[in-house]
Amino acid sequence: MATHLVAPPAWSQPHSVSGLNAHSVLNIREDIDQTLDVGSSAIIGTIPHDASDVMVTGISVAIGDAKWREIKYNGTVGWVNARYLKPANMLLERPEALQCAGTEPFWNVAIDENASTFLSPDLESPIELDYLRLAPGIGRSDLWGHYLGSADGAYSLTVIVRYTEACSDGMSDLTYDYEALLLGLSASGAPAYGCCSISR
């Protein structure tokens, strides 16, 4: 089965099920991002043909000719065929909470107004950060600057997030809806690159 990176078809926001008849359900599969084999992945739930509150996380993968998106529905997180999803609203909405990570160097930032954290290999545990402010992009609805800092002033990070539908972590077949530039990781001011998904 051929695999390749794919840009997901719609924003990470509530989606509706589309294209199923009234007697059908949309199966939720488990772990296809790891196996890249739909047939061997267990069905862990179903979604009614008329559901309108399916949350996509912003992660997708291509398996053969099909696009699959990671979703959360009624507490179940799994994968569904993207051809049966459509955005509930065509306006791009800013995610309330994101999980962003990068490689070389490795880093991880949880962006949340209530509980942001930063983690890197040289830290034993995540550092709690205050969410200082949000700066939407000038003239762009797909760009946001998140400003974070630790209470002791030791860490001051800026995470520039952009909706691209095509961010690759360089280590897997997954594609992420959001790319990130992290400023403040290096004393030189050099940005670090990464990808983000919606926190679930």
Side-chain angles (χ1 to χ4, degrees):
M1 227 178 249
T3 63
H4 58 280
L5 297 179
V6 59
W11 337 120
S12 299
Q13 64 180 17
H15 280 58
S16 299
V17 175
S18 175
L20 294 179
N21 65 46
H23 304 291
S24 297
V25 294
L26 182 57
N27 290 328
I28 304 173
R29 298 276 184 168
E30 180 182 39
D31 292 335
I32 63 168
D33 63 319
Q34 301 298 320
T35 66
L36 295 178
D37 179 5
V38 177
S40 69
S41 181
I43 296 173
I44 57 174
T46 60
I47 305 173
H49 74 280
D50 58 352
S52 59
D53 55 348
V54 181
M55 298 299 297
V56 297
T57 66
I59 305 174
S60 64
V61 67
I63 302 175
D65 294 330
K67 300 175 184 178
W68 292 79
R69 288 186 69 92
E70 187 186 53
I71 60 92
K72 182 175 183 180
Y73 180 75
N74 283 349
T76 299
V77 176
W79 296 82
V80 301
N81 192 320
R83 72 180 285 196
Y84 298 110
L85 294 178
K86 68 175 184 178
N89 183 344
M90 291 309 295
L91 296 175
L92 180 59
E93 299 175 10
R94 177 181 62 85
E96 292 184 9
L98 289 166
Q99 190 68 45
C100 303
T103 58
E104 304 204 17
F106 286 92
W107 57 271
N108 189 298
V109 174
I111 301 173
D112 188 318
E113 292 183 17
N114 299 312
S116 295
T117 58
F118 168 68
L119 183 63
S120 68
D122 58 334
L123 296 173
E124 292 183 11
S125 60
I127 301 295
E128 292 185 14
L129 301 173
D130 294 325
Y131 189 93
L132 303 177
R133 67 186 177 97
L134 165 73
I138 298 172
R140 298 189 65 111
S141 63
D142 62 348
L143 182 67
W144 307 276
H146 300 273
Y147 296 84
L148 313 169
S150 59
D152 62 5
Y155 292 90
S156 179
L157 303 175
T158 300
V159 187
I160 307 299
V161 176
R162 188 167 75 97
Y163 181 85
T164 64
E165 299 185 8
C167 187
S168 170
D169 60 14
M171 298 180 67
S172 71
D173 289 314
L174 300 178
T175 301
Y176 297 80
D177 284 1
Y178 302 91
E179 70 176 8
L181 292 178
L182 174 64
L183 302 173
L185 185 62
S186 166
S188 69
Y193 182 79
C195 300
C196 305
S197 60
I198 293 178
S199 295
R200 45 185 168 97

